[in-house]
Amino acid sequence: MKLKKILLLILLLIVFVLEQPANSETTRIIGFIPLDTRPYAYDIPIRLGKLFGAEILYPPMDSLAFFRETANCQFIRSWLLQNANDCDALVVSAEQLIYGGLIQSREAKITENERDEALNTLRIIKKAHPNLKIYVSDVLMRNSISAFDEESVLWWKKIQDYSKAYYRTYANGDMEAKKELESLTAEIPEKVLNTFLHARKFSHEKDLGCIQLVKDGIVDQLIICQEDSAPEGIQRFEQEKLSAVIRENRLNNKIFMANGAGEAGAELVMRALCPKGSDTGIVWLGENIGFSAMYEDRPFVENLNTHMSAMNIRENPDSENVICILPPKIKQSDYVMGFSEGYEEYSYEEFEAMSRRISDLVKQGKHIFLLDIESANGGNPKLLTAIARQIPILELYGYSAWDTASNSLGTLLAQLLACRNENSAENKSYTAERILNDCVYQSIVRQKVSEKLKNVGVNVWNIDDTKTAEQLISDTFRENEELLHNIFGVNVPKFQTKLRWPRLFEIEVIAEK
């Protein structure tokens, strides 16, 4: 009799376990060190983690990098050491941990010992907590410097040219490029150029140090993000060396190198929370599949494959999830720098055909995640208004169109995992914020506000009076009320906007639920 009761209890226990939700990871706790305090690097990973149902622990904002102000690196390391015991996984930005921010990494005002001590923090944590998963994002330095005013914008452009000429000189033996390189070397202030070259060397050694952490079993997964670059650039030599080390140590399944930067925090938070990943279909809304995006150094499809692999997202045409991608018709343009030569916008009829295609997929029960990478630094409102004529816009499960193509891609992939196949009220609110920010603000409002501020002599790269700028942003959103109604219909969400940093590149948008 006792045996029967024991067997019955075992059977009930087995049934109970089998009936538990597949995503029981929702109770997990993630310790998060973001790249910096911009909304995409700081808020979105936290927001998506909570959307998934996890608890995200992170240091107070005033201890982290704020624009040109360096983070309190010692506090961050102490925070990690103190909180690691309460976490199931850590997601750490190498730039925040080592330099105190992304902008700070481009000048590298620290010593080799300080860099190595920062990385050693992760070794100490892993030794104390061997079962703790550690995920790290590492930025392979961009092809130029940071821009804070009109003068630095000039040198930003000149060093971009220097980087391209350097590549053509030493990769191709191009004598004309060599002359250009010599001319630029003489033209660019010695301090500016030396700082750039020193930071590159220092950053490359940091990249190798991060790879070593993976080799030694300290870091479970590493994403090396190549920030702003071009196919011809000084970074190609560094990439070749890093790729060789990765191959030699057979770490290809743990280290992923792709274009991007600001999206990596969101990607790794969701990778930690959802290691099983997901399936998705891929639908291209245009024919230009083989394009290379602005500020990136390889065809976009390569970045698509790498980012999906890093997050264990598998292409499956039968999946309920579908990522619809809007590529440039011919060549990408840029909502910040202006429309480039060779750019051609899709016609009204083409946008209508795309919107009907999306509507048909929705009617088939597909979960649509829209990736608009027709241009850099913003989404095309004409596509959204066309879709809104077919279906309520928030029937989309996700949307992304900010900054570079890979920035947008990574953020959307993170939302795909975070929403867990459910277009909840919370997910709709998040998607509304992305539409308001990525499309309406980035492609329209920001340009108008920038022009208004420049007309009164404001340095839009480093704004002194952020309150006035914020009021201009609010006023300009109201000036575009008709567009908001064209996209959202009668139910335009109530929202607030705030400048997180004293510049116009990114704002925080908070929609009421």
Side-chain angles (χ1 to χ4, degrees):
M1 191 68 181
K2 283 185 177 180
L3 182 59
K4 286 185 178 180
K5 286 183 178 181
I6 292 170
L7 290 173
L8 180 60
L9 285 171
I10 291 172
L11 180 61
L12 289 172
L13 181 61
I14 292 170
V15 171
F16 174 78
V17 170
L18 291 174
E19 287 182 348
Q20 294 310 296
N23 282 320
S24 58
E25 300 103 329
T26 54
T27 59
R28 297 186 70 190
I29 302 174
I30 304 295
F32 177 50
I33 304 296
L35 180 63
D36 52 40
T37 51
R38 291 172 298 159
Y40 282 96
Y42 181 88
D43 300 69
I44 285 182
I46 296 168
R47 179 80 178 276
L48 291 177
K50 290 180 177 179
L51 176 62
F52 188 80
E55 182 178 357
I56 311 297
L57 305 180
Y58 45 93
M61 187 181 290
D62 60 8
S63 69
L64 300 169
F66 174 79
F67 195 40
R68 303 182 74 173
E69 295 177 16
T70 302
N72 185 338
C73 294
Q74 284 301 128
F75 177 86
I76 291 169
R77 293 167 203 170
S78 298
W79 185 93
L80 275 172
L81 292 165
Q82 291 168 10
N83 288 273
N85 188 54
D86 297 326
C87 300
D88 299 299
L90 297 179
V91 173
V92 179
S93 160
E95 276 57 46
Q96 184 77 247
L97 181 68
I98 297 170
Y99 301 99
L102 177 61
I103 287 177
Q104 291 72 13
S105 72
R106 297 172 189 155
E107 295 183 346
K109 294 180 178 178
I110 63 171
T111 66
E112 292 182 7
N113 285 339
E114 288 172 323
R115 179 190 63 208
D116 296 342
E117 180 187 342
L119 288 176
N120 195 50
T121 304
L122 299 181
R123 292 184 181 276
I124 294 169
I125 290 172
K126 192 72 168 186
K127 184 176 180 180
H129 310 283
N131 294 323
L132 182 69
K133 296 284 187 180
I134 300 178
Y135 301 81
V136 171
S137 65
D138 171 41
V139 177
L140 202 162
M141 188 173 162
R142 72 197 299 188
N143 275 3
S144 194
I145 60 174
S146 300
F148 304 113
D149 50 36
E150 293 298 331
E151 181 182 355
S152 59
V153 171
L154 170 65
W155 303 128
W156 172 81
K157 177 67 170 64
K158 293 290 184 182
I159 289 184
Q160 272 195 329
D161 294 340
Y162 174 95
S163 178
K164 294 174 184 178
Y166 185 99
Y167 175 81
R168 293 197 302 271
T169 298
Y170 293 103
N172 305 328
D174 187 328
M175 297 308 296
E176 286 299 316
K178 185 178 180 182
K179 291 178 183 177
E180 182 184 1
L181 185 66
E182 291 170 350
S183 174
L184 286 165
T185 301
E187 184 178 358
I188 298 169
E190 185 177 359
K191 182 179 178 181
V192 174
L193 185 57
N194 287 345
T195 297
F196 171 72
L197 294 174
H198 164 70
R200 291 214 73 86
K201 181 177 181 295
F202 199 91
S203 178
H204 182 64
E205 292 167 355
K206 173 261 305 176
D207 300 335
L208 291 169
C210 289
I211 291 174
Q212 188 65 41
L213 289 176
V214 180
K215 181 182 176 182
D216 294 344
I218 307 302
V219 169
D220 295 271
Q221 183 169 319
L222 172 67
I223 294 181
I224 301 176
C225 309
Q226 173 60 67
E227 63 168 336
D228 295 357
S229 60
E232 293 181 333
I234 196 170
Q235 85 287 350
R236 298 300 292 265
F237 300 108
E238 296 157 358
Q239 289 174 5
E240 290 171 7
K241 292 176 183 176
L242 297 177
S243 295
V245 174
I246 293 167
R247 285 194 306 271
E248 289 166 8
N249 291 281
R250 299 180 181 178
L251 298 173
N252 300 73
N253 62 334
K254 292 185 177 183
I255 301 176
F256 300 86
M257 188 155 51
N259 291 118
E263 77 294 336
E267 287 183 315
L268 287 177
V269 164
M270 292 316 307
R271 181 71 176 90
L273 289 170
C274 192
K276 293 180 181 178
S278 182
D279 289 351
T280 187
I282 302 291
V283 169
W284 292 86
L285 299 176
E287 297 178 357
N288 187 11
I289 297 173
F291 80 101
S292 293
M294 295 183 71
Y295 308 108
E296 299 188 352
D297 58 12
R298 66 204 73 180
F300 175 74
V301 289
E302 290 186 21
N303 284 315
L304 176 64
N305 293 333
T306 303
H307 281 273
M308 287 178 63
S309 295
M311 299 184 70
N312 198 20
I313 295 177
R314 303 160 297 274
E315 184 173 357
N316 177 0
D318 298 322
S319 173
E320 282 185 315
N321 299 321
V322 176
I323 298 174
C324 289
I325 304 174
L326 178 68
K329 189 171 183 178
I330 297 175
K331 182 180 178 182
Q332 253 197 341
S333 194
D334 185 347
Y335 280 107
V336 171
M337 297 300 179
F339 293 104
S340 57
E341 184 180 350
Y343 170 77
E344 181 181 338
E345 188 175 50
Y346 291 98
S347 67
Y348 175 89
E349 290 75 19
E350 286 171 318
F351 279 134
E352 286 295 306
M354 294 174 193
S355 66
R356 288 193 296 271
R357 189 175 184 187
I358 288 172
S359 176
D360 289 343
L361 289 168
V362 170
K363 290 173 183 175
Q364 295 169 27
K366 300 293 187 180
H367 307 160
I368 305 302
F369 297 82
L370 179 58
L371 179 64
D372 182 348
I373 49 176
E374 184 208 22
S375 295
N377 291 302
N380 195 321
K382 293 179 182 178
L383 175 59
L384 289 180
T385 53
I387 294 170
R389 288 191 284 269
Q390 299 288 331
I391 59 172
I393 201 67
L394 293 183
E395 285 194 20
L396 296 176
Y397 273 58
Y399 176 81
S400 189
W402 71 285
D403 216 327
T404 68
S406 288
N407 290 155
S408 298
L409 168 65
T411 306
L412 191 72
L413 293 175
Q415 186 182 4
L416 186 149
L417 294 183
C419 74
R420 298 168 62 186
N421 293 320
E422 181 183 355
N423 199 5
S424 63
E426 181 70 22
N427 188 63
K428 288 181 178 180
S429 176
Y430 175 83
T431 302
E433 291 172 359
R434 301 282 59 74
I435 290 171
L436 290 165
N437 192 327
D438 297 12
C439 182
V440 182
Y441 175 74
Q442 304 288 354
S443 63
I444 296 175
V445 173
R446 178 174 59 182
Q447 324 312 320
K448 293 182 177 180
V449 172
S450 179
E451 185 177 348
K452 291 174 184 177
L453 291 174
K454 285 179 179 178
N455 287 340
V456 294
V458 174
N459 174 16
V460 296
W461 304 88
N462 191 356
I463 300 168
D464 290 328
D465 185 358
T466 56
K467 292 298 180 185
T468 298
E470 287 175 345
Q471 187 59 54
L472 272 175
I473 290 169
S474 296
D475 293 344
T476 309
F477 263 110
R478 281 193 291 272
E479 291 169 8
N480 288 275
E481 192 170 336
E482 182 179 354
L483 173 61
L484 295 177
H485 281 288
N486 288 341
I487 294 173
F488 292 102
V490 296
N491 298 314
V492 177
K494 294 181 180 179
F495 63 96
Q496 297 177 335
T497 59
K498 182 177 176 58
L499 281 174
R500 180 64 61 77
W501 282 7
R503 65 182 194 181
L504 297 178
F505 281 110
E506 52 278 302
I507 60 167
E508 179 184 6
V509 176
I510 304 171
E512 292 185 11
K513 300 177 180 62

